[in-house]
Amino acid sequence: QTGCIPSTTPLPETEYFLYTWTVYILPLMPPARRDPRYSVQDVIDMVQTGESEVEMELNDTDESDEDSDEDVCQQVDKETQPPMDCPADNYVDIEPKTNKHTMPRDRYCWLKKDFISPNTDFSGVDITGDDISLHTPLEYFRKFVSEDMVEALTQNTNEYSFQAHGTSVNTTAKEIEKMLGMYLKMGLVQMAGTRMYWETETRYSPVADVMPRNRFQSLLTSLHFVNNMTVSETEKKDKLWKLRPWLDSFREKCLQVVPEEHNSVDEMMIPFKGKFSSIKPNPWGFKVWVRTGISGMMCDFDVYQGSVNGIRAKSELGLSGEVVMKLASTLPEGQNYKMYVDNYFTCVPLLVKLLDRGIHYVGTARQVRLPNCNLEDEKSLKRKGRGSYDVRVEGNHNICAVKWYDNRAITLVSSFAGPEPVQKIQRWDKANRTYIEVERPYIVGAYNKYMGGVDLLASFTAKYKFPIKSRRWYMYIFWHTIILAVVNAWLLYKRDCKTVTSGSPLNAQKKRPSKRCAHLPLDVRKDLVAHFPRKTGRGRCRHCNKGYTNTQCRKCDVRLCFSEDRDCFWDFHQSESQS
């Protein structure tokens, strides 16, 4: 209350302040503005129409969090009015409000109608061509780790050792190849540390006999991939600049593999628990985005580096969508390749951009990334029973969204696969303790069949990978590429074998290597590793075919002259560089 107080009445200091504020200052102030109050329905209407003046701040999350994908597809989906360009006959007549700006989500109009699948006949390169022939294991490995890559690694290693220690390790390409082979052997017979392979009680001859322990340790600490003195400041902005030449060469080799029709994109982790690195690692290690075929063969990859100078680039597709577009950009356009991804990557603009390149898509999706797509909720599908599903079709781009209920609801979207033909599958019923038949839309079966390529590749790499500890964090990525090269070489060899044996008997006979070539691969014969003589029964020399000898190569298992007059043993194993 603001009644007048007689001036003769003495006032304490606090009461005098309140009296002055109430009588003189408060009447001069404008009326207090109260924030408007909205009901839940009012807020939903404002979000859908885009006319809300309420500003909502979203807390930025860490860029490594998979749920923090910044893209325009993340809108709350409710059963409300359609966008302006949708036919009114398919919806309840609600008077729309005038939009000041066209929101990105207004481009997509989802209708409840049958999905008509487009023609997706594959027109890419056939991986089972007629000109495929089998090669030796080393030749398959060199398709991914070439001699030029090893030569560059050798040169940079020698230069770095001289710059760091004042003396060069003077290694050679052959010695680097030996070290890589020793690493692969360590993966087959794993021990607690590298030194144990040379210790008396735990000595492992296939490793210890190839190279002395100190020499192996010296090469490990000197391995280098770029000349530090010639790298510019611009190149150093790349957090992987110390490994970039090797990664670019390895990626180029992977891109030379003929891709399969069905490809999947997902993340792969390189185990690493260190704290100091240019790249902020995931708690489990370094993250690598990978594109593989259904066989697990890696065709393209990109090491995730996080934000650049703390700034995260924004785009319509978000981080996850840009990853898929980058890995899909190396696929030929207009040949109906198929891409399978999970819900971390899926958004409607991504499907549209891939369709523009002639690449079709199947993936699980989050409901908030399907604006205006009013699929039935999980409770409604649960009441209908297992196997029930709901379908919506985007009218402008012919994209199908299917929500299927099994043990729980799952949403999938595709540009070529729909619910038809519906398949019958067996599911275990806990209540009746028996198997029952459940309907499964075709899109779910296609996703389950072709999605697991990256997981398959990760399982292969984890079987025989030896964890060499290093203070240089990028060495973990390098050793992982060596394992990936071996896995890719093996999968490519399997694919070629299947192609050769599945052809006609006449073609298979022509493509199959001769018995002599299969018994004595040229790369094994001239590798100058572990070729030791032994005495055996007398027989004709394999090299000169004239003399008879009782000396045999333990590794090649052939008789060779080895006497004062004739040294076929050396001539047979001599490499081209020594001739």
Side-chain angles (χ1 to χ4, degrees):
Q1 298 178 358
T2 59
C4 296
I5 300 178
S7 60
T8 58
T9 304
L11 294 174
E13 182 178 355
T14 304
E15 294 182 4
Y16 179 77
F17 171 76
L18 294 176
Y19 170 76
T20 304
W21 176 271
T22 306
V23 176
Y24 297 104
I25 300 177
L26 194 59
L28 300 178
M29 298 180 63
R33 178 183 176 184
R34 300 182 60 185
D35 294 334
R37 296 180 179 272
Y38 303 99
S39 65
V40 175
Q41 188 60 39
D42 293 335
V43 174
I44 294 175
D45 292 339
M46 288 185 290
V47 171
Q48 292 290 336
T49 58
E51 293 185 344
S52 174
E53 297 180 355
V54 181
E55 295 184 359
M56 300 181 181
E57 295 184 359
L58 299 177
N59 295 329
D60 292 333
T61 55
D62 182 69
E63 62 191 10
S64 62
D65 187 0
E66 294 187 355
D67 295 333
S68 64
D69 202 27
E70 297 178 6
D71 62 62
V72 298
C73 301
Q74 297 184 3
Q75 305 288 341
V76 179
D77 181 53
K78 296 293 182 182
E79 298 281 347
T80 56
Q81 63 188 40
M84 296 290 294
D85 55 351
C86 291
D89 297 340
N90 297 280
Y91 298 92
V92 179
D93 185 15
I94 300 177
E95 183 180 357
K97 298 181 180 180
T98 303
N99 291 339
K100 297 180 181 179
H101 303 284
T102 301
M103 302 297 290
R105 53 190 166 82
D106 293 339
R107 295 178 300 180
Y108 309 114
C109 174
W110 297 90
L111 308 176
K112 190 176 180 61
K113 66 176 185 179
D114 294 336
F115 175 71
I116 300 177
S117 178
N119 181 18
T120 60
D121 293 340
F122 181 65
S123 59
V125 179
D126 186 11
I127 61 175
T128 60
D130 295 333
D131 57 344
I132 294 178
S133 59
L134 297 180
H135 306 280
T136 63
L138 182 58
E139 290 174 338
Y140 278 103
F141 178 76
R142 282 180 173 165
K143 288 180 179 292
F144 302 96
V145 179
S146 64
E147 295 180 352
D148 294 338
M149 295 170 62
V150 177
E151 286 289 348
L153 175 59
T154 303
Q155 180 180 353
N156 289 312
T157 298
N158 289 331
E159 292 177 351
Y160 172 75
S161 61
F162 182 79
Q163 295 168 2
H165 308 292
T167 58
S168 175
V169 293
N170 290 325
T171 186
T172 62
K174 179 61 67 175
E175 191 175 32
I176 294 295
E177 291 180 349
K178 290 181 181 179
M179 187 183 65
L180 297 180
M182 294 168 66
Y183 171 76
L184 297 177
K185 282 288 188 179
M186 291 176 180
L188 296 175
V189 181
Q190 298 194 13
M191 299 185 186
T194 56
R195 291 179 176 269
M196 296 183 65
Y197 291 92
W198 285 269
E199 293 179 358
T200 303
E201 296 181 355
T202 58
R203 180 182 174 84
Y204 183 55
S205 297
V207 172
D209 292 344
V210 176
M211 186 183 300
R213 182 195 63 186
N214 292 342
R215 181 61 177 175
F216 181 78
Q217 293 290 343
S218 178
L219 291 178
L220 279 182
T221 57
S222 301
L223 281 179
H224 219 65
F225 310 93
V226 66
N227 189 343
N228 295 347
M229 301 298 182
T230 60
V231 179
S232 64
E233 294 298 326
T234 303
E235 293 174 333
K236 288 185 178 180
K237 293 181 180 180
D238 180 9
K239 298 178 181 179
L240 287 164
W241 65 271
K242 287 192 175 182
L243 193 62
R244 179 57 61 189
W246 177 269
L247 290 179
D248 288 345
S249 298
F250 179 63
R251 180 171 180 259
E252 181 183 353
K253 298 300 180 182
C254 293
L255 292 176
Q256 293 177 2
V257 177
V258 178
E260 302 172 37
E261 176 184 359
H262 303 277
N263 294 260
S264 60
V265 172
D266 207 346
E267 67 175 27
M268 174 187 291
M269 301 305 302
I270 300 177
F272 177 73
K273 294 185 178 180
K275 298 181 180 179
F276 303 102
S277 67
S278 299
I279 301 177
K280 182 180 179 181
N282 187 280
W284 298 103
F286 299 111
K287 184 183 297 186
V288 183
W289 309 115
V290 179
R291 174 173 65 84
T292 69
I294 185 177
S295 64
M297 187 182 306
M298 185 176 70
C299 299
D300 197 2
F301 70 94
D302 182 40
V303 181
Y304 177 61
Q305 301 187 39
S307 61
V308 179
N309 297 326
I311 301 175
R312 182 176 175 182
K314 296 182 179 180
S315 69
E316 183 184 15
L317 303 180
L319 167 66
S320 58
E322 291 295 340
V323 167
V324 178
M325 285 302 301
K326 181 177 181 179
L327 298 180
S329 64
T330 51
L331 284 174
E333 296 186 17
Q335 297 182 5
N336 290 331
Y337 281 92
K338 282 80 175 178
M339 191 75 68
Y340 301 82
V341 301
D342 62 20
N343 59 19
Y344 173 59
F345 303 91
T346 300
C347 67
V348 181
L350 174 61
L351 274 76
V352 175
K353 287 185 176 296
L354 287 176
L355 273 177
D356 294 339
R357 291 181 49 85
I359 299 175
H360 295 278
Y361 186 99
V362 173
T364 55
R366 303 172 185 176
Q367 186 66 40
V368 294
R369 294 192 182 181
L370 301 178
N372 303 316
C373 184
N374 303 320
L375 291 165
E376 291 187 37
D377 57 17
E378 185 170 354
K379 292 183 179 179
S380 176
L381 293 175
K382 186 176 182 180
R383 286 193 296 268
K384 295 181 180 180
R386 295 178 67 176
S388 59
Y389 62 90
D390 189 26
V391 182
R392 294 291 187 276
V393 178
E394 205 283 316
N396 298 328
H397 303 93
N398 195 34
I399 297 173
C400 180
V402 178
K403 195 170 189 177
W404 177 59
Y405 184 82
D406 187 13
N407 290 322
R408 62 181 182 87
I410 183 173
T411 304
L412 299 98
V413 294
S414 175
S415 57
F416 76 97
E420 301 294 338
V422 177
Q423 304 164 334
K424 295 286 187 178
I425 59 173
Q426 296 289 327
R427 284 290 187 268
W428 176 256
D429 187 3
K430 292 183 179 179
N432 299 323
R433 301 184 64 83
T434 184
Y435 284 98
I436 60 174
E437 281 193 348
V438 174
E439 289 187 343
R440 184 182 68 181
Y442 170 77
I443 185 175
V444 181
Y447 178 83
N448 292 339
K449 181 178 181 180
Y450 298 111
M451 176 55 196
V454 179
D455 294 334
L456 185 62
L457 175 63
S459 66
F460 289 152
T461 58
K463 290 181 182 297
Y464 305 110
K465 183 178 180 180
F466 182 70
I468 293 183
K469 296 182 180 180
S470 176
R471 294 182 180 180
R472 297 180 293 168
W473 58 269
Y474 53 89
M475 293 302 299
Y476 291 84
I477 303 177
F478 165 71
W479 291 119
H480 196 78
T481 60
I482 297 300
I483 296 295
L484 289 173
V486 174
V487 173
N488 264 17
W490 173 63
L491 292 175
L492 185 60
Y493 170 73
K494 286 183 60 179
R495 189 168 79 179
D496 290 350
C497 287
K498 184 177 180 181
T499 302
V500 170
T501 56
S502 62
S504 64
L506 180 60
N507 292 336
Q509 184 177 1
K510 291 181 179 179
K511 296 174 184 177
R512 188 177 296 113
S514 64
K515 182 178 179 180
R516 179 173 180 177
C517 294
H519 182 61
L520 294 174
L522 189 61
D523 47 22
V524 176
R525 167 183 162 184
K526 298 186 177 184
D527 61 1
L528 301 180
V529 176
H531 294 280
F532 301 109
R534 67 176 177 185
K535 294 300 180 179
T536 184
R538 187 176 176 82
R540 187 179 294 275
C541 175
R542 171 63 65 87
H543 181 65
C544 64
N545 291 326
K546 297 178 180 179
Y548 288 85
T549 179
N550 60 354
T551 302
Q552 184 182 39
C553 177
R554 291 179 180 270
K555 185 174 182 179
C556 300
D557 195 25
V558 295
R559 293 180 176 85
L560 298 166
C561 297
F562 187 57
S563 62
E564 296 178 356
D565 300 332
R566 187 182 292 115
D567 191 359
C568 293
F569 193 93
W570 169 254
D571 296 336
F572 183 79
H573 298 110
Q574 188 178 23
S575 63
E576 295 178 358
S577 60
Q578 295 174 335
S579 59

